[in-house]
């Protein structure tokens, strides 16, 4: 598939060659972003949002794009991230297919998509790209960096690589390293894509596209993004009406199966499979312990912040609560006024996207004290 770029997206050119942590470099690379609010004369009211794997840079409606964004209820005038006070920047991760340079982008050296010629992507590479964007905008120190899910990893990578880049940090359902369960799930997702014959070692097109592999990968992801409690409450054991069932004797039979199928089919053509592989693997590779001689807590304690909040939910199985607690404890050991907040939400890992009634007051309250 080709890249999918929201209409209000702006771009910053990355310096070339832009080297990657694990080798290789990009020429002519760019990072996609959007902004809300006004930067103060002192340039001290900036907030950077680093999103998860699949979102684009359009976190909320703005003058350039009135369509609701993926965090619409959280960001805007009078909302928890109040753009009457804050100048907010949201980036599309490096390696994505939503505007920033990734495996689906054109390689200027060949005139063809990078595909698997894209360098091995690490979380740290995306964090360094975000740092370059801040410099291009004239922002030396952020009021806060907010990282969601994969973005929580990216935020820590930014703080570890660039001391003093932010005064505070909100880690939302994120972590300092990948745990075996989440690595296993993402490994299965990547395998599903790679085993689809149409993946063809990354050389697919819109006519021969690894749709089945992406479908299974997305289903696996969605199962882990929500909780067993929510699945039970939403679907129970409700069966499909007979006219809605397939002729296949092992086809869809339960309402929850139809939901997963519909959700997956809506996703498969909106995100490039190769980009999915690269970003997924970058999460598995990230380990803050590399910055603390093999000790995660030592690495986190080396980050100097004024304030920090690590927030998650009890029902998150992909980034479980102990990971947010570890982040809060580690940053507190480094001298930050650090809080760990465990919310009761039935909606699992995706709660920060949909349960704004719980997450909004927590994030808005933290920012209100800055």
């Amino acid at each position: 598939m080709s890249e999918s770029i929201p209409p209000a997206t702006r771009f910053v050119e990355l310096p070339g060659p832009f080297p990657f942590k694990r080798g290789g470099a990009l020429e002519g690379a760019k990072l996609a972003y959007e902004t809300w609010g006004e930067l103060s004369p002192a340039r001290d009211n900036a907030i950077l949002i680093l999103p998860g794997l699949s979102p684009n840079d359009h976190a909320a409606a703005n003058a350039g794009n009135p369509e609701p964004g993926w965090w619409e209820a959280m960001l805007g005038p009078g909302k928890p991230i109040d753009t009457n006070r804050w100048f907010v920047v949201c980036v599309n991760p490096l390696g994505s297919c939503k505007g920033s340079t990734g495996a689906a982008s054109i390689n200027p050296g060949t005139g063809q998509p990078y595909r698997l010629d894209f360098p091995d992507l690490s979380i740290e590479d995306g964090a360094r790209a975000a740092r370059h964007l801040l410099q291009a905008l004239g922002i030396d120190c952020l009021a806060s960096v907010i990282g969601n899910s994969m973005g929580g990893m990216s935020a820590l990578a930014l703080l570890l690589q660039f001391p003093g880049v932010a005064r505070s940090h909100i880690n939302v359902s994120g972590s300092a390293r990948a745990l075996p369960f989440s690595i296993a799930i993402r490994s299965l997702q990547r395998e599903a894509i790679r085993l689809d014959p149409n993946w063809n070692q990354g050389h697919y097109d819109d006519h021969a596209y690894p749709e089945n592999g992406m479908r299974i990968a997305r289903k696996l992801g969605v199962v882990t993004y929500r909780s067993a409690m929510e699945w039970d409450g939403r679907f129970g054991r409700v069966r499909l009406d007979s006219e809605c069932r397939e002729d296949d004797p092992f086809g869809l039979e339960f309402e929850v199966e139809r939901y997963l199928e519909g959700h997956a089919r809506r996703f498969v053509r909106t995100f490039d499979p190769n980009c999915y592989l690269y970003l997924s693997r970058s999460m598995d590779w990230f380990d803050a312990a590399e910055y603390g001689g093999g000790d995660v807590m030592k690495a986190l304690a080396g980050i100097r912040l004024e304030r920090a909040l690590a927030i998650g939910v009890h029902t998150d199985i992909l980034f479980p609560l102990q990971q947010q607690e570890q982040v809060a404890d580690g940053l507190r050991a480094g001298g930050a006024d650090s809080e760990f907040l465990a919310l009761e939400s039935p909606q699992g890992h995706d709660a920060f996207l949909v349960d704004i009634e719980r997450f909004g007051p927590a994030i808005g309250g933290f920012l209100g004290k800055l």
Side-chain angles (χ1 to χ4, degrees):
M1 61 163 282
S2 59
E3 297 174 284
S4 173
I5 305 173
T9 297
R10 300 161 65 184
F11 300 95
V12 63
E13 299 293 326
L14 299 179
F18 186 81
F20 276 47
K21 176 184 176 182
R22 290 175 173 262
L26 294 177
E27 292 283 357
K30 60 187 179 182
L31 196 68
Y33 71 100
E34 290 188 34
T35 67
W36 298 259
E38 298 292 334
L39 187 61
S40 66
R43 299 180 179 272
D44 60 356
N45 69 329
I47 291 176
L48 175 66
I49 297 177
L50 297 171
L53 184 151
S54 58
N56 54 32
D57 51 68
H58 188 61
N62 55 24
N65 183 358
E67 290 297 314
W70 55 266
W71 226 12
E72 186 70 30
M74 186 70 75
L75 172 63
K79 295 180 181 179
I81 305 174
D82 189 352
T83 52
N84 288 328
R85 178 184 180 190
W86 303 111
F87 174 67
V88 182
V89 182
C90 180
V91 303
N92 176 235
L94 184 68
S96 182
C97 54
K98 303 293 180 72
S100 295
T101 300
S105 304
I106 298 300
N107 180 346
T110 66
Q112 298 296 318
Y114 278 102
R115 302 185 188 276
L116 301 193
D117 288 333
F118 195 75
D120 288 340
L121 178 70
S122 297
I123 291 291
E124 288 89 340
D125 302 320
R128 286 191 299 104
R131 173 58 170 165
H132 177 76
L133 168 61
L134 296 177
Q135 291 176 320
L137 294 174
I139 300 168
D140 294 323
C141 181
L142 293 160
S144 192
V145 54
I146 303 174
N148 302 324
S149 187
M150 183 187 83
M153 293 178 164
S154 301
L156 292 176
L158 180 71
L159 295 167
L160 287 163
Q161 293 180 104
F162 302 101
V165 72
R167 300 195 301 275
S168 72
H169 169 43
I170 304 176
N171 197 286
V172 183
S173 299
S175 70
R177 70 195 322 183
L179 292 180
F181 175 77
S182 58
I183 291 173
I185 292 296
R186 287 191 289 268
S187 175
L188 290 173
Q189 291 176 298
R190 294 194 297 272
E191 187 172 359
I193 295 169
R194 293 184 295 108
L195 289 179
D196 188 317
N198 284 338
W199 181 63
N200 190 28
Q201 297 298 309
H203 290 272
Y204 45 82
D205 57 32
D206 286 340
H207 300 290
Y209 186 86
E211 186 151 345
N212 286 331
M214 284 292 285
R215 215 166 37 81
I216 299 304
R218 186 59 174 177
K219 287 183 180 182
L220 281 167
V222 171
V223 167
T224 65
Y225 299 156
R226 300 301 179 99
S227 73
M229 183 188 305
E230 186 187 5
W231 293 123
D232 187 51
R234 287 181 67 180
F235 302 108
R237 288 183 52 81
V238 176
R239 282 179 161 82
L240 298 173
D241 295 335
S242 57
E243 61 269 20
C244 295
R245 297 183 188 179
E246 302 172 346
D247 292 335
D248 184 344
F250 295 98
L252 305 183
E253 182 177 357
F254 290 90
E255 186 64 38
V256 66
E257 294 178 285
R258 181 166 70 171
Y259 169 81
L260 287 173
E261 182 67 18
H263 187 98
R265 287 195 179 280
R266 289 190 297 272
F267 177 81
V268 294
R269 294 280 179 161
T270 66
F271 206 92
D272 179 72
N274 286 337
C275 291
Y276 200 98
L277 294 174
Y278 274 94
L279 286 164
S280 167
R281 187 179 60 180
S282 75
M283 297 172 71
D284 293 349
W285 279 344
F286 180 67
D287 187 352
E290 293 180 21
Y291 300 87
D295 186 329
V296 171
M297 295 299 287
K298 182 178 179 181
L300 292 172
I303 296 173
R304 296 291 181 262
L305 294 168
E306 295 174 11
R307 300 190 69 238
L309 170 65
I311 181 174
V313 299
H314 287 280
T315 53
D316 190 342
I317 62 173
L318 194 62
F319 285 74
L321 272 177
Q322 65 263 31
Q323 293 197 286
Q324 290 94 59
E325 186 172 19
Q326 181 184 52
V327 170
D329 290 346
L331 296 177
R332 186 180 304 112
D337 177 3
S338 181
E339 180 183 1
F340 165 59
L341 186 57
L343 298 179
E344 297 285 352
S345 174
Q347 293 171 309
H349 184 65
D350 268 359
F352 71 88
L353 293 171
V354 295
D355 199 346
I356 302 300
E357 289 185 2
R358 289 181 171 88
F359 276 83
I363 292 174
F366 178 89
L367 294 175
K369 297 175 182 178
L370 295 183

